[in-house]
Amino acid sequence: MLTTTSRLLRPLNRLPLKTIRISPVRDMTVLSKKSAEEYEKQNYSERMSRTGRPVSPHLTIYSFPIVALSSITNRVAGMGLYFGAFGVAALDIVGGSGTSLSLAQDIATSGGVVAPAAKFAVSFTFLYHYMGGLRHLWWDATPEKLTNDDVKTSAYVLMGGSVLASSILALI
């Protein structure tokens, strides 16, 4: 083991001494006990408001890229599908066989805004998550299409296509 280490360190022995630089040590900032107590009493947000700087991260000046929003929406849609399926199963287990079917029929006959909103919610989560999965399969099959511009375009197509198809299905 020692010979292996010494073989690895031999190139360092050949370096001239002037190439090795030691960075200077920065002095510590010493606070008095009184100033440390005052600092602990201050709130971070109050200190930042006095300096005029926003609290980090400042969400009012940051906008998410469409690709990030697409990814977040895909994950939320997947969770919605999971909890929706869990809710239907739990309803049938607790209420007996056919309870979720009668609830779906009650929602469908309620008319007004409730039925189209329920149809849109279910179809959007399913279509968005499904089409997002197809998009990933397409990316896996054609990695050369995975450029920043193509990913951004596909995020807009995914969002628009899901909203359009879900709107059509909600009105049927």
Side-chain angles (χ1 to χ4, degrees), residues 28-107:
M28 288 180 49
T29 304
V30 179
L31 294 175
S32 67
K33 199 171 198 175
K34 183 180 177 185
S35 63
E37 289 172 358
E38 287 177 17
Y39 186 79
E40 285 179 8
K41 289 179 186 176
Q42 295 175 355
N43 184 343
Y44 176 76
S45 298
E46 292 171 1
R47 286 195 314 260
M48 290 297 108
S49 66
R50 270 191 283 122
T51 62
R53 292 179 290 196
V55 178
S56 177
H58 201 258
L59 295 178
T60 59
I61 61 169
Y62 181 75
S63 64
F64 282 104
I66 186 67
V67 178
L69 291 174
S70 174
S71 175
I72 292 167
T73 306
N74 194 24
R75 293 164 197 263
V76 170
M79 289 177 10
L81 290 172
Y82 171 77
F83 286 114
F86 180 80
V88 167
L91 190 62
D92 265 353
I93 289 171
V94 172
S97 180
T99 307
S100 59
L101 177 63
S102 65
L103 177 65
Q105 289 172 345
D106 290 343
I107 291 172

Side-chain angles (χ1 to χ4, degrees), residues 140-164:
D140 291 341
T142 58
E144 66 275 359
K145 295 282 186 188
L146 198 55
T147 64
N148 287 341
D149 291 335
D150 287 340
V151 169
K152 189 175 179 180
T153 302
S154 71
Y156 282 115
V157 168
L158 176 63
M159 183 64 77
S162 298
V163 168
L164 179 67

